[in-house]
Amino acid sequence: MTSNGHNEQLRSIPSVDAVLRDTQIGALAGASSLTAITRLVREATDGARIAVLNGAEAPNVEQIARVVMARAERTWSNWPGRVINATGVVLHTNLGRAPLSANAVEAAGHAAAGYSDLEFDLESGKRGSRNSRISQLTADVTGAEAGLAVNNNASAVLLVLSSIAEGREVIVSRGEAVEIGGGFRIPDVLSRSGANLVEVGTTNRTYASDYAAAITDRTAAILKVHPSNFFVQGFTHAPELAELVAVGRDHDIPVLNDLGSGTLLDTRRFGMEREPTVQDSITDGAALTMFSGDKLLGGPQAGIVCGKQELVDRVARHPLARAVRIDKMTLAALSATLLAYLRENAETEIPIWRMISASEKEIEARAKCWLEAAGSGEVKPGRSTVGGGSLPGETLPTSLLAITRERDAENLAANLRAEDPPVIARIHEGELLLDPRTVLPEEDESLMAALGHAFGNSV
Ligand SMILES: *Cc1c(COP(=O)(O)O)cnc(C)c1O
């Protein structure tokens, strides 16, 4: 197009005011914020200008109005929106980690919708503590003396180090001075807490004697960090927690144990490597153990600190505890989740354990149903992963629905993401793969409707 042609096309792009006078947009503006509508209209006309400069024709008012309406519908709906996770990654950080149990959802809903006895003692009619119930529950399921719940495990670690070691030294193995993800680096957290890091051993081998040799009168604690998102193979050594506790005991130094995912169930029962349990950490003598609420506990985003009563009290009294306070909806969901463990119902009630414990046979049968809904493809063996910074490298045998068509896998995946609810699949070596393990059986109907709609008639 000539530059004159461009100018003419640019001039014929409708003005923001002209679009706002459109009847549909006018109706939308009447029922919502004019500022927000104007922004969307301006974005659409700016977009049209760029398109015209790239050679497109100028859109008319109706065309711009359509773009604005579609954008309004997409961005002004409740968020985050539900998606179906068919990736086969159980704890998918981008998809919100652990889905909650029905009981946890109900508890959070009740806590959210009305008033509650969050900090109120019904017996005395006086002020109560936000933490006493969770402390008791945590103690009952882990064997610790007491517990404290905060915003997430990152804040639990920061809070513990600030309360126990500010201005003093914390001994950490070089192999554990790691980055957990999302910029959460143990050395940085230590320096934020005001504690000084004393690294011992080497990246691959550290012994209990290395820790013992580093203890001075400035030492506040030994910190053990579970390497949750990587594993070191070959010529390696890390002392057992119990050995560190023995070293600590000799010098009256507490051992703090950041477990990361912190499972309460023995993962070997599901054919996986043994992830250290919270109960073991307590029996082995860690003074404080920290773990996540939304990893292998299968609850809401939270961080739990449990261990010796006196130390938990000290952590709870630190001023930072108020800054990382857990909210009532989370607390309700967390207590419902812990109750499932107390009643020994975790495996049947908590979604991530239902997924992890699902039988291969059942998964294969579902994959075959999905295949029928999709119209074509094949069911083949594959692996699911736990993910979310737990059990690195661990996979579970599964059956996958593999869809290969003329169009490329990216394209097919985009079609599934455009469904309602969106279905998130995985792509491997040009194939679109869907794993029933991470889709709850009660979501199968929606998923198959999406498959039928996206692929059923378009072989
Ligand atoms: C995941 C993880 C954390 C951070 O926990 P969040 O609940 O995500 O804040 C800290 N330490 C370890 C070892 C972890 O695996």
Side-chain angles (χ1 to χ4, degrees), residues 310-326:
E310 180 241 320
L311 290 181
V312 171
D313 288 346
R314 206 155 111 202
V315 172
R317 278 196 310 269
H318 191 276
L320 197 55
R322 180 62 177 77
V324 296
R325 184 166 87 168
I326 191 166

Side-chain angles (χ1 to χ4, degrees), residues 43-329:
E43 272 172 21
T45 51
D46 286 351
R49 198 158 293 120
I50 290 166
V52 164
L53 289 173
N54 285 318
E57 279 198 30
N60 59 27
V61 169
E62 261 163 46
Q63 287 165 321
I64 292 195
R66 256 202 307 279
V67 170
V68 170
M69 296 299 286
R71 230 174 256 176
E73 193 173 331
R74 207 171 52 239
T75 56
W76 297 351
S77 50
N78 287 347
W79 179 86
R82 183 164 84 95
V83 305
I84 294 181
N85 173 16
T87 63
V89 181
V90 177
L91 294 168
H92 198 304
T93 301
N94 303 146
L95 304 182
R97 283 199 189 155
L100 297 181
S101 70
N103 280 339
V105 170
E106 194 190 14
H110 282 308
Y115 296 104
S116 61
D117 60 347
L118 178 70
E119 291 185 3
F120 186 76
D121 181 33
L122 289 171
E123 245 171 69
S124 65
K126 297 213 168 81
R127 188 181 169 178
S129 144
R130 175 181 295 244
N131 196 57
S132 59
R133 210 46 109 80
I134 235 54
S135 175
Q136 189 58 59
L137 259 179
T138 304
D140 287 342
V141 297
T142 64
E145 289 173 15
L148 172 73
V150 294
N151 188 46
N152 56 12
N153 189 38
S155 53
V157 175
L158 177 65
L159 176 62
V160 162
L161 291 170
S162 306
S163 324
I164 307 291
E166 192 167 4
R168 296 170 68 207
E169 291 177 355
V170 174
I171 305 171
V172 182
S173 160
R174 285 206 166 77
E176 296 176 1
V178 296
E179 172 168 329
I180 305 303
F184 184 80
R185 292 182 165 170
I186 293 297
D188 296 342
V189 176
L190 264 161
S191 79
R192 284 280 150 201
S193 73
N196 297 318
L197 168 67
V198 175
E199 284 185 283
V200 295
T202 61
T203 314
N204 59 334
R205 292 173 84 86
T206 304
Y207 300 88
S209 54
D210 294 326
Y211 289 86
I215 292 177
T216 67
D217 54 5
R218 295 180 303 277
T219 308
I222 289 172
L223 173 67
K224 188 164 173 60
V225 182
H226 181 52
S228 46
N229 52 3
F230 70 99
F231 58 105
V232 191
Q233 240 173 343
F235 189 61
T236 65
H237 181 84
E240 295 294 328
L241 174 61
E243 293 177 69
L244 293 188
V245 170
V247 169
R249 194 175 297 129
D250 287 344
H251 299 84
D252 205 14
I253 301 285
V255 174
L256 313 172
N257 191 17
D258 175 13
L259 271 185
S261 49
T263 178
L264 294 174
L265 300 184
D266 186 342
T267 47
R268 282 175 304 192
R269 275 183 23 218
F270 311 103
M272 297 183 293
E273 279 287 310
R274 189 181 163 286
E275 176 85 2
T277 65
V278 182
Q279 296 93 320
D280 286 347
S281 177
I282 305 297
T283 26
D284 285 347
L288 289 175
T289 302
M290 294 79 81
F291 60 101
S292 276
D294 56 351
K295 290 184 181 170
L296 286 175
L297 191 71
Q301 179 191 304
I304 297 172
V305 180
C306 60
K308 303 240 162 28
Q309 179 84 55
E310 180 241 320
L311 290 181
V312 171
D313 288 346
R314 206 155 111 202
V315 172
R317 278 196 310 269
H318 191 276
L320 197 55
R322 180 62 177 77
V324 296
R325 184 166 87 168
I326 191 166
D327 93 294
K328 62 185 177 186
M329 285 182 273

